[in-house]
């Protein structure tokens, strides 16, 4: 998985995650998620924001030619909460703000439910974004605050891709809408602003 953020954010779960930014496409974070077994630190290869790896997350797992993180599936609604299953990074630089923000994620799953990556939650002050997996479809949601203080929400969704194969998805939020690509193919767009997202929560 890999995650990468930058005024582009990208992610790869068993191969990495990246977060990035606007026109300059500055990379805010690039988590390759390829640490050795037993690792506790998720290393940002762009040198900005390392993260912490929960004790129940397996690292250094080889899956179909990639080194990945792996989670044993547990129903998200089954109590009690399981913070040991969370990987997180905390920095205000990862806030989407109001400009162009892209999240890239490479992941593999056969499960048809669950949040994959998020910053904030539905009721969070300052809005939130998340990539989730309802019914085996990749859903990307951005919900920010307008200049008048009202919430603005947009979402884009793929077809079913929880098929046990690696997929690379890129969700890009611009001042005028959202777009979603899967394995290099544009699959969904949504027009309209999602406002500003400045919440204090970790990714």
């Amino acid at each position: 998985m890999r995650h990468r953020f930058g005024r582009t954010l990208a992610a790869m779960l068993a191969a990495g995650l990246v977060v990035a930014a606007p026109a300059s496409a500055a990379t805010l974070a690039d988590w390759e998620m390829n640490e050795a077994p037993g690792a506790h630190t998720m290393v940002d290869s762009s040198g900005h924001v390392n993260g912490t790896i929960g004790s129940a997350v397996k690292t250094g797992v080889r899956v179909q030619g990639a080194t990945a993180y792996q989670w044993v599936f547990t129903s998200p609604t089954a109590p009690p909460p399981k913070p040991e299953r969370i990987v997180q990074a905390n920095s205000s630089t990862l806030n989407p703000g109001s400009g162009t923000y892209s999240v890239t994620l490479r992941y593999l799953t056969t499960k048809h439910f669950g949040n994959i990556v998020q910053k904030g939650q539905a009721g969070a002050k300052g809005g939130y974004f998340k990539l989730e997996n309802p019914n085996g479809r990749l859903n990307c949601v951005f919900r920010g605050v307008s200049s008048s203080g009202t919430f603005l929400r947009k979402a884009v969704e793929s077809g079913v891709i929880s098929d046990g194969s690696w997929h690379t998805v890129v969700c890009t939020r611009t001042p005028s809408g959202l777009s979603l690509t899967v394995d290099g193919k544009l699959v969904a767009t949504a027009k309209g602003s999602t406002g500003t997202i400045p919440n204090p929560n970790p990714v």
Side-chain angles (χ1 to χ4, degrees):
M1 177 169 192
R2 177 175 185 170
H3 285 57
R4 182 175 178 182
F5 293 76
R7 287 265 110 61
T8 296
L9 168 60
M12 213 167 106
L13 294 187
L17 168 66
V18 181
V19 181
S24 61
T27 297
L28 304 178
D30 186 349
W31 298 301
E32 297 182 14
M33 296 180 156
N34 60 0
E35 288 82 21
H40 300 290
T41 300
M42 179 175 66
V43 177
D44 174 8
S45 63
S46 72
H48 298 124
V49 186
N50 288 343
T52 58
I53 302 169
S55 61
V57 178
K58 295 180 180 179
T59 59
V61 179
R62 293 294 295 173
V63 183
Q64 296 182 22
T67 300
Y69 291 5
Q70 185 178 60
W71 288 259
V72 174
F73 183 76
T74 301
S75 173
T77 57
K82 296 178 173 59
E84 67 274 13
R85 299 179 67 244
I86 295 174
V87 177
Q88 62 182 341
N90 199 357
S91 172
S92 62
T93 64
L94 299 176
N95 271 321
S98 60
T100 298
Y101 190 89
S102 173
V103 178
T104 302
L105 168 69
R106 183 170 184 242
Y107 76 108
L108 172 159
T109 188
T110 58
K111 302 302 180 183
H112 286 200
F113 186 72
N115 290 354
I116 300 173
V117 58
Q118 67 187 73
K119 189 175 194 302
Q121 304 216 358
K125 183 178 180 180
Y128 73 99
F129 78 82
K130 68 176 175 178
L131 281 76
E132 59 183 350
N133 186 42
N135 301 311
R137 302 170 185 269
L138 193 287
N139 186 43
C140 177
V141 179
F142 276 75
R143 182 177 187 255
V145 183
S146 72
S147 58
S148 64
T150 60
F151 281 109
L152 301 170
R153 181 186 184 278
K154 296 293 177 185
V156 284
E157 188 173 82
S158 73
V160 175
I161 56 175
S162 294
D163 56 6
S165 297
W166 284 111
H167 294 286
T168 299
V169 299
V170 182
C171 182
T172 300
R173 190 283 305 270
T174 70
S176 60
L178 286 181
S179 65
L180 179 66
T181 65
V182 177
D183 300 329
K185 180 179 179 181
L186 180 66
V187 298
T189 60
K191 293 182 179 180
S193 172
T194 57
T196 301
I197 302 175
N199 72 61
N201 299 295
V203 169

